[in-house]
Amino acid sequence: MEDILIKSSTNSYKISIGESLRLQIKQFLNKEYSSVLIVTDEHVAALYLNDILENLPTDRVFQSIVPAGEKSKNLQSYYQLQTEAIEFGLDRQSLIIALGGGVVGDLAGFVAATYMRGIDYIQMPTTILAHDSSVGGKVAINHELGKNLIGNFYPPEAVIYDVDTLHSLSEREVRSGYAELIKEALIANENFFNTLLTVDIYNVSNRELQEHLQQGIKIKAAIVEADERELGVRKYLNLGHTLGHALEAELGYGTLTHGEAVAIGLLFSIHVSEDLFSVELPFEELLEWFRTNQYPIIGTNLDISALINKMKTDKKTLKSRIQMVLLEDVAKPVAKELDDTEIEHYLTSFESRLMAK
Amino acid sequence: MEDILIKSSTNSYKISIGESLRLQIKQFLNKEYSSVLIVTDEHVAALYLNDILENLPTDRVFQSIVPAGEKSKNLQSYYQLQTEAIEFGLDRQSLIIALGGGVVGDLAGFVAATYMRGIDYIQMPTTILAHDSSVGGKVAINHELGKNLIGNFYPPEAVIYDVDTLHSLSEREVRSGYAELIKEALIANENFFNTLLTVDIYNVSNRELQEHLQQGIKIKAAIVEADERELGVRKYLNLGHTLGHALEAELGYGTLTHGEAVAIGLLFSIHVSEDLFSVELPFEELLEWFRTNQYPIIGTNLDISALINKMKTDKKTLKSRIQMVLLEDVAKPVAKELDDTEIEHYLTSFESRLMAK
């Protein structure tokens, strides 16, 4: 097991990564809680819920199971969980455990952040992708008009990452998670990026996977500590996300996984960067790696004006100009505002470039 | 104009109390905002919205007007305001101004706290009652199962209290506000309490009113600074609120004003305290004062078991026992857990006591 310590403005919490941690949940509880609510989805519940239930030291344990998938990150599920928390009798000395992927983590975290104005919660991510969302205290639900538009900065008490739970992931989920690892590498660590480009993501060993997660989390942790409330460098973590979020919203959440959408967004950011900064970046290598690893790189038949509208409701948008994170080089991110016409131009040339390959 | 400075864990903000402040709104903005959304209700909009609009230094000013009354503090209004904020193009450098009473302040504050994970907001209270809710950073909406169950601790950038706007209050609103002033006096300042018992609340001068607000706010401010997240002394501010909230919920929000319900709750707390601590407290004097000032002291025909159920969903409830704030003496509050049977006993004897008067 490896621990990574994160200092937030209001608390410090540990990210513990290792095997069988779900069976040792007891040792991660720093105080006595009056009751515990485990929030999870139907898929994860079938696999791991009992492991947690059997290892908690209190008998006031409740469970709320939401449907799997991004659609649960909406206002209705949020309110339903609040209702259940009230009906179970959770009070301010209660704990919420978010057991699942990013959807469960963001949703249950936002419930914890706002239930009776905030109670403790613990993240137990069960996907590779959630290494990203479970670190940094961002919690949120989606608005019909855009992803993550409603939420808080609300750090967890702990993040418990049991790598055993990653064996049950589908290929789509593995792809989705590795896209965020690629993103972190692109922002901050060229060696890590080059290592990832040699990886066959469906055949990594447990040890390699743990190593990749640690690298990714360390990059994220350093950025989050430097800029908890996204006033500066934290925005670099949105590399690939301006177009990524717009694609997810435009195609309907769930059509592409988050990471699959980000993968396309990363290529687009590199495409724009190469032109704007007249630099050579690993566009071709990354595109090839994505295709080898079966990422659906949809770059044709996009409704460009609809995408631009979606990009404008991104939280990083200032005064209705689109802000993108670009790369002056690998590991040299920079934020830049672009006009609609520039974005339109680049989306068109991006489409042509992908079609030519 | 008088300023009271409040230090929170994340910022410091000033409460400014004086005349014509709404016309000087410009001087209270500490930075340049990309846009401003004024949230207010239909009644306040008709009276004061133009004053604010005309005195803001930016042309990107938007307004969202909610129906007046507690019913707007629900999930639907909350989501509607989020939608409008997105459609107006508010970004993270935008400001929300909550212009109105406690409902508008709590609702707009919670929107600000959770819009894109938190943007700046300013409270401009237009009721006496809101002197309480606008100080301390508590923001919330109601759940069908209880008041203020969904919310955050999220301090404003400033509180601007223009006493001119208090002239237009109805008698019900004046009563409602003075009940919270009585509560603050009971918690912390016997002289202030004795002063208030001499006041005819419908005939106070502007100067007296300003003095009462300052006294109340100073009591609240001292408590909030000592205990921002309600782990200790802040709970004393809930004197009268355990039964008060339950009455509001049980009778239907709006049947009694918040302060009218708290007035009954204060009497009940004193009633319980006298018996539990064998002390003599000013129950009779306060009851007489409430009746002289036309408070509806409803203490008969209560559905006691329904009230007890409501009291259990209060945020102060620990492990399903009801926690009440009581008084060992005036200005000596204490928190205590009571069993259902004790509560039932006291509600019954409270009813008899009120009927006998």
Side-chain angles (χ1 to χ4, degrees):
Chain A
M1 186 178 86
E2 163 137 351
D3 285 349
I4 301 169
L5 187 73
I6 314 267
K7 292 194 190 92
S8 88
S9 63
T10 51
N11 71 347
S12 290
Y13 58 96
K14 266 196 302 198
I15 300 163
S16 306
I17 311 173
E19 294 174 340
S20 305
L21 299 189
R22 73 193 181 286
L23 308 176
Q24 303 156 41
I25 173 81
K26 225 183 304 190
Q27 75 178 70
F28 296 97
L29 306 184
N30 295 322
K31 50 179 112 149
E32 202 191 316
Y33 289 102
S34 62
S35 52
V36 180
L37 173 62
I38 303 169
V39 178
T40 188
D41 72 32
E42 50 199 358
H43 295 164
V44 177
L47 293 167
Y48 306 115
L49 180 56
N50 274 338
D51 291 341
I52 315 294
L53 290 174
E54 284 166 11
N55 287 285
L56 279 169
T58 164
D59 51 0
R60 280 187 53 81
V61 180
F62 306 97
Q63 44 183 278
S64 291
I65 298 174
V66 300
E70 186 76 24
K71 281 178 183 127
S72 282
K73 236 175 91 171
N74 67 5
L75 193 75
Q76 286 66 40
S77 301
Y78 168 74
Y79 195 71
Q80 175 61 28
L81 287 175
Q82 296 275 1
T83 304
E84 291 178 20
I86 296 165
E87 289 176 344
F88 291 142
L90 263 67
D91 61 25
R92 285 183 164 167
Q93 272 67 45
S94 298
L95 172 74
I96 287 179
I97 295 177
L99 173 70
V103 167
V104 164
D106 279 4
L107 171 66
F110 188 48
V111 171
T114 54
Y115 183 70
M116 298 190 175
R117 299 198 182 90
I119 63 172
D120 284 357
Y121 76 111
I122 285 177
Q123 295 277 18
M124 295 191 70
T126 58
T127 65
I128 299 169
L129 181 64
H131 84 274
D132 181 53
S133 54
S134 64
V135 176
K138 279 189 176 184
V139 293
I141 55 174
N142 298 327
H143 190 284
E144 289 153 274
L145 298 174
K147 259 177 85 86
N148 294 326
L149 289 178
I150 302 178
N152 278 147
F153 289 95
Y154 192 75
E157 292 300 300
V159 180
I160 305 168
Y161 220 132
D162 185 339
V163 289
D164 292 344
T165 63
L166 306 177
H167 293 304
S168 49
L169 295 177
S170 69
E171 293 200 348
R172 289 189 85 195
E173 288 173 305
V174 173
R175 276 199 292 279
S176 191
Y178 264 92
E180 289 286 358
L181 289 167
I182 287 281
K183 177 203 76 178
E184 284 144 2
L186 275 172
I187 292 170
N189 189 331
E190 188 167 7
N191 282 340
F192 181 35
F193 178 71
N194 291 330
T195 301
L196 286 176
L197 283 192
T198 67
V199 169
D200 168 2
I201 61 175
Y202 306 116
N203 291 294
V204 285
S205 69
N206 218 5
R207 190 167 174 175
E208 278 177 301
L209 177 53
Q210 187 164 337
E211 172 64 24
H212 298 157
L213 286 172
Q214 280 163 11
Q215 292 259 28
I217 287 173
K218 280 179 186 166
I219 291 169
K220 169 124 195 196
I223 291 175
V224 165
E225 283 193 359
D227 178 23
E228 189 180 357
R229 296 191 68 84
E230 196 158 352
L231 304 168
V233 294
R234 187 163 180 164
K235 67 172 69 128
Y236 297 149
L237 291 168
N238 286 291
L239 184 71
H241 282 62
T242 310
L243 179 58
H245 280 162
L247 279 170
E248 278 187 276
E250 183 55 26
L251 300 175
Y253 294 120
T255 306
L256 292 180
T257 64
H258 177 64
E260 287 168 345
V262 166
I264 300 167
L266 290 173
L267 287 171
F268 181 61
S269 291
I270 292 175
H271 174 71
V272 175
S273 301
E274 285 186 331
D275 184 77
L276 260 184
F277 305 131
S278 306
V279 287
E280 204 174 307
L281 292 168
F283 184 96
E284 311 300 333
E285 294 87 331
L286 187 56
L287 176 58
E288 194 192 323
W289 185 83
F290 280 144
R291 288 198 165 143
T292 305
N293 284 287
Q294 298 164 47
Y295 283 78
I297 303 300
I298 304 163
T300 55
N301 293 320
L302 299 176
D303 180 341
I304 288 180
S305 69
L307 281 175
I308 290 175
N309 275 333
K310 296 282 185 205
M311 289 163 94
K312 280 186 170 174
T313 58
D314 189 272
K315 289 183 294 306
K316 267 53 71 180
T317 301
L318 293 173
K319 296 184 186 176
S320 297
R321 297 189 78 209
I322 293 170
Q323 189 171 77
M324 279 187 72
V325 180
L326 301 173
L327 293 172
E328 291 178 333
D329 200 349
V330 174
K332 280 202 183 152
V334 63
K336 206 165 156 50
E337 284 185 19
L338 283 94
D339 286 332
D340 289 15
T341 49
E342 292 175 284
I343 296 281
E344 193 182 336
H345 162 76
Y346 283 125
L347 279 171
T348 308
S349 58
F350 180 57
E351 213 169 349
S352 311
R353 190 169 180 184
L354 289 179
M355 287 213 302
K357 300 285 160 183
Chain B
M1 185 178 88
E2 163 138 351
D3 286 348
I4 301 168
L5 187 73
I6 314 266
K7 292 194 191 91
S8 86
S9 63
T10 50
N11 70 347
S12 291
Y13 58 97
K14 265 195 305 199
I15 300 163
S16 305
I17 311 173
E19 294 174 340
S20 304
L21 300 189
R22 72 194 182 286
L23 308 176
Q24 304 156 40
I25 172 82
K26 225 183 304 192
Q27 74 178 71
F28 296 97
L29 305 184
N30 296 323
K31 50 179 114 149
E32 203 192 316
Y33 290 102
S34 61
S35 53
V36 179
L37 173 63
I38 303 169
V39 179
T40 189
D41 72 32
E42 51 201 358
H43 296 164
V44 177
L47 295 167
Y48 307 114
L49 180 55
N50 273 338
D51 290 343
I52 315 294
L53 289 174
E54 284 166 11
N55 288 285
L56 278 170
T58 163
D59 51 1
R60 280 187 53 82
V61 180
F62 306 97
Q63 43 183 277
S64 291
I65 299 174
V66 300
E70 186 78 23
K71 281 177 184 129
S72 282
K73 235 175 92 171
N74 67 6
L75 193 75
Q76 287 66 40
S77 301
Y78 169 74
Y79 195 70
Q80 175 62 25
L81 287 175
Q82 294 276 1
T83 304
E84 291 177 21
I86 296 165
E87 289 175 345
F88 291 143
L90 263 67
D91 62 24
R92 285 184 164 167
Q93 272 67 45
S94 297
L95 173 74
I96 287 178
I97 295 177
L99 174 70
V103 167
V104 164
D106 279 3
L107 171 65
F110 188 48
V111 171
T114 54
Y115 183 70
M116 297 189 175
R117 299 199 182 90
I119 63 173
D120 284 358
Y121 77 111
I122 286 176
Q123 295 276 19
M124 295 191 70
T126 59
T127 65
I128 299 168
L129 181 64
H131 84 274
D132 181 52
S133 55
S134 65
V135 177
K138 279 189 177 185
V139 293
I141 55 174
N142 299 327
H143 189 282
E144 289 154 273
L145 299 175
K147 259 177 84 86
N148 294 325
L149 290 179
I150 302 178
N152 277 145
F153 289 95
Y154 192 75
E157 292 299 301
V159 180
I160 305 169
Y161 219 133
D162 185 339
V163 290
D164 291 345
T165 64
L166 305 177
H167 293 306
S168 50
L169 294 177
S170 70
E171 293 200 347
R172 288 188 86 194
E173 288 172 306
V174 174
R175 275 199 294 277
S176 191
Y178 265 92
E180 289 285 357
L181 289 167
I182 287 280
K183 177 203 77 179
E184 283 144 3
L186 276 172
I187 292 171
N189 189 331
E190 188 166 10
N191 283 339
F192 181 35
F193 178 71
N194 291 329
T195 302
L196 286 176
L197 284 191
T198 69
V199 169
D200 169 1
I201 59 174
Y202 307 115
N203 291 293
V204 285
S205 69
N206 218 5
R207 190 165 172 177
E208 279 176 302
L209 178 54
Q210 188 165 335
E211 172 64 23
H212 298 157
L213 286 173
Q214 280 163 12
Q215 292 259 27
I217 287 173
K218 279 179 187 167
I219 291 169
K220 169 123 195 197
I223 291 175
V224 164
E225 283 193 357
D227 178 23
E228 189 180 358
R229 296 191 68 84
E230 195 158 354
L231 303 169
V233 295
R234 186 163 181 163
K235 67 170 69 127
Y236 298 149
L237 291 168
N238 287 292
L239 184 70
H241 282 63
T242 310
L243 180 58
H245 280 163
L247 279 169
E248 278 187 277
E250 183 56 24
L251 300 175
Y253 294 122
T255 307
L256 292 179
T257 63
H258 178 66
E260 287 169 346
V262 166
I264 300 167
L266 290 173
L267 287 171
F268 181 61
S269 291
I270 292 175
H271 173 71
V272 175
S273 301
E274 284 185 332
D275 184 77
L276 260 183
F277 305 131
S278 306
V279 287
E280 204 173 308
L281 293 168
F283 184 95
E284 311 301 332
E285 295 87 331
L286 186 56
L287 175 59
E288 193 192 325
W289 185 82
F290 280 144
R291 288 197 165 143
T292 305
N293 284 287
Q294 299 164 48
Y295 283 77
I297 302 301
I298 304 162
T300 53
N301 293 320
L302 299 176
D303 181 341
I304 288 180
S305 68
L307 281 175
I308 290 175
N309 274 334
K310 296 280 185 208
M311 288 163 94
K312 281 187 170 174
T313 59
D314 188 272
K315 290 182 295 303
K316 269 52 69 179
T317 300
L318 292 175
K319 295 186 188 177
S320 297
R321 298 189 78 208
I322 294 170
Q323 188 170 75
M324 279 187 72
V325 180
L326 301 173
L327 292 172
E328 292 178 333
D329 200 349
V330 174
K332 279 204 182 148
V334 63
K336 207 167 154 48
E337 284 184 20
L338 283 94
D339 286 332
D340 289 15
T341 50
E342 291 175 285
I343 297 280
E344 191 181 338
H345 162 76
Y346 283 124
L347 280 171
T348 308
S349 58
F350 181 58
E351 213 168 351
S352 312
R353 191 170 180 183
L354 289 179
M355 288 214 299
K357 298 286 160 181

